[in-house]
Amino acid sequence: MQLTGAEIIVECLKEQGVDTVFGYPGGAILNVYDALYEYRDEITHVLTSHEQGASHAADGYARATGKVGVCLATSGPGATNLVTGIATAYMDSVPMVAITANVGRPLLGRDSFQEVDIAGIVMPVTKYSFIVKNIEDLADTLRRAFYIAKSGRPGPVLVDVPKDITGMKYEYEPCHPATVNREIKSIRKEDTDQALDMIREAEKPFIFVGGGCVISGADQEVRELARRIQAPVCDTLMGKGTFPGEDPLYTGMVGMHGTKASDLGVTECDLLIVLGARFSDRVTGNTKTFAHNAKILQIDVDAAEINKNIKVDASVIGDVKEVLKRLLEEIPKKEHPEWIAHIQELKSKYPLNYDHTQLTGPYIIEKLYELTNGDAIISTDVGQHQMWAAQYYKYKEPRTLLTSGGLGTMGYGLGAAIGAKMGRPEKTVVNIAGDGCFRMNMNELATAARCGRQLIQIVMNNHVLGMVRQWQTLFYGKRYSSTVLDDAVDFVKLSEALGAKAIRVTKMEDVEPALKLALAAEGPVVLDCWIDQDLSVFPMVPAGANLDDVFDEEDMKKHE
């Protein structure tokens, strides 16, 4: 059948099972929006307040559902406003397809109004970027984009379509989406045999879980492995929920703001089993001394990650879930009572701790965990509140913490929360932000209000850029250069003006009733929580230091 390019785009979205897209219209993409109007009963379009909000919403939708997120933008500034969200998705391996419309082909390369080479701009932060120059290539290019986005190590793909192509007609033939198979061809028996030998020989094994376990859906296999070989488990920010936060074998996050039990355990173990993690500098600290007492076994779908940041003793390349399935067929049950007892001693000796005499971020998050029974989807922005959310909310299952781990994008969380709520409307969704982050994309509150779905926005309002100030306190002689937000912004009034309910929380006894009200509400509710500007995140490993240099407030007092 003959369809316009715009109609072909929407039909291809339907082919791929897309039910929700996020975007913002403009002149170059008007044909696509006109087609979306005709398909409005089949595909929900969420009009965000800013294109960056659309990219973060598509990202949050993808992380929460496991499906490909889709965002749309017009040419020029509309397209460039997507770049931060695309880069965020790229760093965290999130499947996303961004569709932009450019000026017509006769106007390309002429510095035309709102013309920009978006395919070139995003090349370093996408798995692939296309510009469609012929309408006969349009459908297959979109199909290929979805396949690339979700195959192997997932990531974002951009498809740029000139306006004249969206308006011309061409024959469209429906096609079933290509099957995306798990990466198993690269799994070699000699590698799995070596891995098995290392696991059998280890007396002090430690399992280190990254975001690849979430992506591959390997949570059950990871849990079985830990119990089979009686190994403690730590995770990265991206690996949260793979292993239950309340399990006795769980030691907490590892790295710069990891628990002492995790940082010391990784340092002391004799085998570190690394599952779907890329050895970020925020995790490893000093790479020369990272896990220096251990042999390191790395399992990852991406061969480029092997020996990139940390030299390992052995590796298996392939989908983590599939590799673990094969290993579990041959791994015997093994107990390490002395090692487990030592780890439990570390957990008892060095628990997470905070000031219980005043309103703090950890108190708010612990109360949120209690009232939601750990069943909410939590999104965050970046900073102290992000670390507190990682430390004090106990994640039961994967895809329940949505956060910018690699790029560290301030302003990410609210858009991601909207995407998550659209993808999983049955779940309670809470975005946790600092006041500095909230300012960056708080206009998306209007989007949340228009969607009319329950969504809770917690603002940890300390009137400073908290994490940067913490570094200034510890390493810059308390010279607070440009980190004090001493203005008259009122988040309660602002939130109400954007269509949300809002509550100011200034005391510990305010927290529970405010959260209960928010959990019972039908639309978005903002909790403006005023906390002290000098609260810090502990434990902490200074950048580039050894993991066993981890310190907390008690250590600082002793040192002083």
Side-chain angles (χ1 to χ4, degrees):
M1 56 182 166
Q2 290 275 318
L3 296 177
T4 66
E7 291 169 332
I8 289 172
I9 290 172
V10 181
E11 284 289 344
C12 286
L13 293 179
K14 285 173 54 184
E15 280 181 12
Q16 299 295 327
V18 175
D19 53 24
T20 306
V21 298
F22 306 87
Y24 203 96
I29 203 169
L30 268 180
N31 289 332
V32 177
Y33 272 81
D34 195 52
L36 276 172
Y37 182 83
E38 296 300 325
Y39 290 82
R40 61 190 182 277
D41 293 335
E42 298 171 83
I43 296 177
T44 298
H45 176 271
V46 177
L47 173 64
T48 55
S49 299
H50 189 283
E51 290 91 352
Q52 188 181 133
S55 61
H56 292 326
D59 175 303
Y61 176 96
R63 295 195 205 215
T65 64
K67 298 191 290 185
V68 177
V70 179
C71 57
L72 310 175
T74 195
S75 62
T80 58
N81 282 342
L82 294 178
V83 173
T84 297
I86 291 171
T88 301
Y90 181 76
M91 290 290 283
D92 291 343
S93 303
V94 178
M96 178 197 294
V97 171
I99 300 172
T100 55
N102 216 320
V103 298
R105 286 174 298 171
L107 297 174
L108 289 172
R110 297 176 180 272
D111 293 333
S112 303
F113 177 67
Q114 291 195 331
E115 179 199 355
V116 72
D117 178 15
I118 190 61
I121 288 170
V122 301
M123 196 176 294
V125 291
T126 52
K127 285 186 73 177
Y128 211 98
S129 61
F130 299 90
I131 180 166
V132 180
K133 295 289 186 71
N134 300 291
I135 192 168
E136 56 265 34
D137 299 329
L138 179 57
D140 285 344
T141 300
L142 285 163
R143 291 162 183 154
R144 188 177 171 201
F146 275 86
Y147 182 82
I148 292 171
K150 58 189 175 181
S151 61
R153 180 177 182 171
V157 178
L158 180 131
V159 181
D160 192 34
V161 188
K163 184 174 182 178
D164 57 324
I165 286 182
T166 67
M168 63 178 59
K169 289 195 171 184
Y170 189 73
E171 189 68 23
Y172 165 76
E173 292 185 13
C175 181
H176 290 293
T179 302
V180 177
N181 296 313
R182 292 181 178 274
E183 186 59 57
I184 59 172
K185 291 180 182 178
S186 55
I187 304 173
R188 304 189 311 169
K189 189 175 187 306
E190 54 264 43
D191 293 337
T192 56
D193 285 346
Q194 186 178 7
L196 286 164
D197 288 341
M198 293 172 74
I199 293 169
R200 290 189 188 107
E201 293 169 6
E203 295 300 327
K204 296 190 288 184
F206 210 116
I207 297 172
F208 170 14
V209 174
C213 293
V214 174
I215 293 166
S216 71
D219 47 300
Q220 294 305 317
E221 287 74 18
V222 171
R223 297 172 193 199
E224 174 61 25
L225 175 66
R227 288 162 189 145
R228 182 86 62 86
I229 67 172
Q230 204 178 22
V233 180
C234 65
D235 56 21
T236 67
L237 191 62
M238 305 310 300
K240 289 286 175 186
T242 299
F243 200 76
E246 295 284 10
D247 193 288
L249 288 173
Y250 180 67
T251 62
M253 191 166 65
V254 66
M256 179 174 283
H257 291 294
T259 64
K260 281 192 172 185
S262 291
D263 287 352
L264 296 175
V266 166
T267 303
E268 296 175 14
C269 69
D270 65 4
L271 174 64
L272 187 64
I273 305 169
V274 183
L275 306 176
R278 58 188 178 84
F279 294 114
S280 159
D281 60 294
R282 283 296 192 264
V283 166
T284 62
N286 184 350
T287 55
K288 293 179 180 178
T289 60
F290 177 77
H292 59 274
N293 292 310
K295 291 182 178 179
I296 301 177
L297 166 63
Q298 185 177 7
I299 299 173
D300 204 285
V301 73
D302 188 352
E305 291 299 335
I306 309 300
N307 294 319
K308 184 177 83 173
N309 294 327
I310 295 290
K311 184 171 177 56
V312 301
D313 297 279
S315 61
V316 185
I317 300 167
D319 181 87
V320 174
K321 186 182 182 76
E322 292 299 317
V323 173
L324 289 180
K325 279 183 177 179
R326 296 187 187 191
L327 294 178
L328 286 167
E329 289 175 358
E330 300 187 54
I331 292 174
K333 188 173 179 61
K334 192 172 181 182
E335 295 185 352
H336 304 98
E338 292 183 6
W339 174 235
I340 294 299
H342 175 64
I343 293 297
Q344 295 302 333
E345 183 183 353
L346 289 178
K347 288 173 64 176
S348 299
K349 188 176 179 181
Y350 303 118
L352 291 171
N353 196 19
Y354 63 90
D355 182 358
H356 290 264
T357 66
Q358 63 172 314
L359 181 63
T360 65
Y363 176 81
I364 294 165
I365 291 167
E366 283 193 333
K367 188 59 67 174
L368 175 67
Y369 175 72
E370 176 189 321
L371 294 177
T372 59
N373 195 32
D375 291 327
I377 292 176
I378 306 296
S379 64
T380 81
D381 282 282
V382 173
Q384 290 179 316
H385 64 275
Q386 178 190 34
M387 295 298 101
W388 289 326
Q391 291 174 332
Y392 290 96
Y393 199 93
K394 309 299 182 186
Y395 299 91
K396 296 180 177 180
E397 59 183 47
R399 302 196 179 279
T400 53
L401 175 62
L402 320 178
T403 191
S404 174
L407 196 64
T409 305
M410 294 176 70
Y412 164 82
L414 183 52
I418 292 168
K421 190 65 180 180
M422 295 302 296
R424 298 180 69 181
E426 78 286 356
K427 297 287 285 186
T428 295
V429 177
V430 183
N431 181 47
I432 302 172
D435 49 326
C437 290
F438 184 57
R439 291 163 178 256
M440 292 203 169
N441 278 325
M442 59 191 175
N443 50 355
E444 296 304 336
L445 267 183
T447 308
R450 193 184 318 113
C451 290
R453 300 187 180 192
Q454 182 204 55
L455 189 149
I456 301 172
Q457 167 68 62
I458 296 175
V459 182
M460 303 290 189
N461 188 354
N462 55 8
H463 299 87
V464 295
L465 301 178
M467 186 60 88
V468 185
R469 181 185 175 89
Q470 178 172 333
W471 280 54
Q472 289 173 332
T473 299
L474 294 172
F475 310 118
Y476 290 85
K478 299 184 179 181
R479 294 182 296 277
Y480 300 120
S481 175
S482 300
T483 51
V484 180
L485 305 176
D486 55 351
D487 50 35
V489 175
D490 186 326
F491 290 136
V492 170
K493 290 181 179 178
L494 183 143
S495 300
E496 291 172 344
L498 290 171
K501 294 179 181 177
I503 305 167
R504 180 162 291 125
V505 175
T506 60
K507 304 186 294 294
M508 294 175 72
E509 53 265 35
D510 295 341
V511 174
E512 184 167 336
L515 282 171
K516 285 182 175 178
L517 187 151
L519 288 165
E522 294 184 358
V525 179
V526 176
L527 305 187
D528 179 22
C529 302
W530 286 32
I531 61 175
D532 188 86
Q533 63 184 8
D534 287 317
L535 293 173
S536 293
V537 178
F538 290 109
M540 183 175 185
V541 177
N546 303 331
L547 285 191
D548 54 3
D549 291 333
V550 59
F551 67 92
D552 56 23
E553 280 186 293
E554 290 300 316
D555 296 321
M556 289 180 65
K557 290 174 184 176
K558 291 175 186 176
H559 180 71
E560 290 170 359

